[in-house]
Amino acid sequence: MVRFPPPRDPFDAPMRVEADIRGVQVTQGEVPEHLDGTFYRCVADRQWPSYVENDLELFNGDGMIISFRFRKGRVDFKSRYVRTPRFVAEQEAGRALFGAYRNPFDDDPSVAGLSRGLGNTNVFFHGGRLYATKEDSPPILLDPDTLEAIGEYDFEGSLTSRTATAHPKFDPVTGEMVFFGYEAKGPGTPDIAYYEADASGRLIHETWIEAPYTSMVHDWAVTQNFVVFPIIPLRSDIEWVKKGEPYFQWDPDEDVYLGVLPRKGSAKDLRWYKGSNRFASHIMGAYDDGRYIHIDTPVGATNYFPWFPDLTGAPYDPVRSKGYLSRWTIDTLGEGRGFTETRLSGLPGEFPRMDDRQETLPYSWGLMLLTDVPGRTAPGGGFRWLSGIDLETGRQQIYYPGDHRTLGEGIFVPAAPDAPPGVGYVLVVVARRAEMRSDLVILDSRHLDGEPVCTLSLPMRVRMGVHGNWVSAAELATRTA
């Protein structure tokens, strides 16, 4: 019998639906006719109920890709499961075969050695290929039009790491994709493999390093001259996993380390910079001037994720866990081995994004979802506001979608290929929880606090998700797989 545990909120119950909607209904404004491309987004949606109590569905749910195809003022919607080896095995069995999040010791013996990848974290396009990724496994290639899975991809046999990040960075100057894999030799290992792929997707650089301890290295920083690996004390130990404990646990007594390598450098060039205990995950942007590296990220005093326990047994602290956009600065030519931190915003939030055309370069504008805005109240929980911030002036514009609504990650789309930085649109999926359905809202990036440019209303809800990206029609025309 298929029986899922009751969700805390009915909106978050499994959907288990693959859908096609030709011509999503426009309920406010008009779709800009010149927008031509596809907004891809990852969501997690379990195919079968887990046999693990209190399993982490957002992290351990089957990947599903949703797409909004923009063309001549019309938007078509599509959703498809990522048919990973794991998905196919469970589909054939008609039940869950894989156990707790990242714990292969919990798996059914029939799937021993099979890839546990889910493709549920990010979806992006490079070198003519559409990738779906989860950071504990190789990426999955997808057909950009049908969203059907082509298969796991090892870069034509060149990927030696067992894992690949869900947060590659794309150099707008060279067209290169810069990425890495942590726990690169397998669960619990401190090894990190660093790669660069040319504009066609061919691997052109590989370097292996070892972190001070094993931890979740979810995102990282890439500039024109450096790459930086943030080692945050959300730690892992294979012995915990074997005993059935949570894969990651917060260590309040461990320091933060930033590993700095020159672009295309080797392990002998690695330098570690150390700071006091704190939490950070996603990077808004990073750049350098040849000496100083600047990294912008939401920083909290302690662990942000309530489902990963504290090693000391301390309860989750919802106040100290809030992240505030801050700038870490590293002096690569100085004698010190520390880094400074400057707060850039007084509003707590997460999921920062920028104009991706400025990745690795100096920039002055970004986006971030907010959980709180002083002086404003909003029914419900989660991310209820979206902020656009001018990093030069500190001015923030805030979009509020309405009561009992929550927001997914905002994505910037330039008004034109040659539009000035930060000039264009912001696409955001809005969960209208009281109505059990979702909208795709298009905002003017320069006037986030104004009326939306357009609202497209889906007759169904879209599952909670993590990351996504906009791919222009011109990029899609270069597809090779």
Side-chain angles (χ1 to χ4, degrees):
M1 178 182 293
V2 178
R3 180 175 293 163
F4 288 88
R8 285 178 294 179
D9 185 326
F11 193 94
D12 297 323
M15 284 283 290
R16 308 175 79 204
V17 170
E18 295 178 312
D20 290 271
I21 302 174
R22 293 174 176 82
V24 179
Q25 179 182 197
V26 176
T27 54
Q28 179 263 326
E30 294 183 359
V31 178
E33 289 228 2
H34 59 280
L35 279 184
D36 192 0
T38 303
F39 171 28
Y40 297 99
R41 188 165 181 258
C42 267
V43 302
D45 194 357
R46 289 200 69 98
Q47 178 187 198
W48 303 101
S50 175
Y51 52 77
V52 176
E53 188 175 356
N54 298 319
D55 195 18
L56 300 179
E57 185 175 359
L58 179 60
F59 285 12
N60 205 30
D62 293 293
M64 180 179 282
I65 305 301
I66 66 173
S67 69
F68 294 91
R69 176 68 172 102
F70 286 71
R71 186 190 294 110
K72 297 181 179 179
R74 170 177 147 175
V75 179
D76 296 334
F77 173 88
K78 185 185 295 289
S79 62
R80 291 291 185 275
Y81 274 113
V82 183
R83 281 166 169 75
T84 61
R86 171 173 172 163
F87 179 94
V88 172
E90 293 190 332
Q91 184 180 53
E92 292 175 351
R95 64 184 179 91
L97 298 173
F98 293 81
Y101 170 65
R102 290 203 184 200
N103 189 341
F105 307 104
D106 265 354
D107 295 348
D108 188 285
S110 66
V111 294
L114 195 66
S115 173
R116 303 183 94 252
L118 289 161
N120 67 2
T121 308
N122 201 1
V123 53
F124 52 85
F125 192 85
H126 179 259
R129 300 173 181 88
L130 183 67
Y131 297 77
T133 54
K134 188 179 191 307
E135 61 201 39
D136 62 358
S137 50
I140 299 284
L141 292 186
L142 305 175
D143 183 295
D145 296 324
T146 68
L147 304 184
E148 297 301 322
I150 297 168
E152 282 197 334
Y153 186 58
D154 63 1
F155 293 83
E156 310 298 335
S158 297
L159 184 71
T160 57
S161 171
R162 293 173 60 179
T163 64
T165 180
H167 280 289
K169 307 297 181 181
F170 302 94
D171 188 326
V173 177
T174 65
E176 293 168 334
M177 178 170 72
V178 188
F179 69 104
F180 70 100
Y182 74 94
E183 298 191 1
K185 291 183 180 178
T189 61
D191 305 275
I192 297 175
Y194 153 52
Y195 298 95
E196 299 211 15
D198 66 17
S200 71
R202 179 178 61 91
L203 292 190
I204 57 174
H205 180 76
E206 176 180 357
T207 291
W208 284 68
I209 65 171
E210 187 171 303
Y213 54 86
T214 303
S215 71
M216 177 189 284
V217 192
H218 180 64
D219 201 357
W220 68 326
V222 178
T223 71
Q224 280 293 296
N225 294 297
F226 301 97
V227 296
V228 183
F229 302 95
I231 309 302
I232 309 296
L234 192 58
R235 291 179 44 217
S236 179
D237 188 310
I238 196 65
E239 296 305 317
W240 303 342
V241 182
K242 289 178 179 178
K243 291 187 290 185
E245 297 179 14
Y247 194 89
F248 290 112
Q249 301 185 47
W250 179 253
D251 187 343
D253 299 317
E254 184 59 85
D255 289 323
V256 168
Y257 291 83
L258 303 181
V260 177
L261 262 181
R263 285 278 295 270
K264 298 183 179 64
S266 62
K268 64 179 176 58
D269 303 313
L270 178 67
R271 297 179 71 184
W272 289 105
Y273 296 81
K274 186 167 70 171
S276 60
N277 183 269
R278 70 196 86 174
F279 179 89
S281 177
H282 292 113
I283 308 296
M284 176 178 282
Y287 61 94
D288 76 89
D289 62 6
R291 175 174 181 170
Y292 294 99
I293 301 172
H294 304 288
I295 304 168
D296 299 339
T297 177
V299 179
T302 189
N303 174 32
Y304 181 78
F305 300 117
W307 46 82
F308 293 130
D310 191 298
L311 277 172
T312 67
Y316 179 72
D317 190 329
V319 176
R320 296 183 69 244
S321 66
K322 291 179 180 179
Y324 295 86
L325 186 66
S326 304
R327 176 165 291 175
W328 289 344
T329 297
I330 304 168
D331 182 354
T332 63
L333 299 182
E335 296 182 0
R337 284 294 183 269
F339 59 93
T340 63
E341 178 178 304
T342 305
R343 183 171 289 189
L344 303 178
S345 171
L347 303 179
E350 246 294 347
F351 287 90
R353 293 295 298 249
M354 63 181 298
D355 181 340
D356 293 334
R357 297 173 300 168
Q358 293 186 285
E359 190 75 71
T360 76
L361 302 171
Y363 75 107
S364 61
W365 178 88
L367 293 165
M368 194 165 75
L369 296 178
L370 303 178
T371 54
D372 298 276
V373 176
R376 302 191 193 185
T377 59
F383 297 113
R384 286 159 288 168
W385 296 271
L386 174 67
S387 169
I389 181 169
D390 184 323
L391 295 172
E392 293 181 347
T393 65
R395 180 172 179 263
Q396 294 186 247
Q397 294 184 336
I398 298 174
Y399 166 65
Y400 179 60
D403 294 352
H404 300 291
R405 298 173 189 177
T406 52
L407 299 165
E409 178 187 56
I411 302 295
F412 174 77
V413 180
D418 58 351
V423 175
Y425 305 98
V426 174
L427 308 183
V428 60
V429 175
V430 178
R432 300 176 69 115
R433 292 181 172 267
E435 302 169 38
M436 293 293 284
R437 65 173 191 82
S438 299
D439 288 339
L440 176 63
V441 175
I442 305 174
L443 304 168
D444 183 334
S445 63
R446 294 164 295 178
H447 305 285
L448 287 183
D449 51 356
E451 282 293 313
V453 173
C454 178
T455 301
L456 297 116
S457 297
L458 294 168
M460 56 186 277
R461 57 193 169 94
V462 170
R463 288 276 299 156
M464 55 184 174
V466 190
H467 301 296
N469 287 281
W470 169 264
V471 184
S472 70
E475 291 176 281
L476 290 171
T478 69
R479 58 175 294 184
T480 60

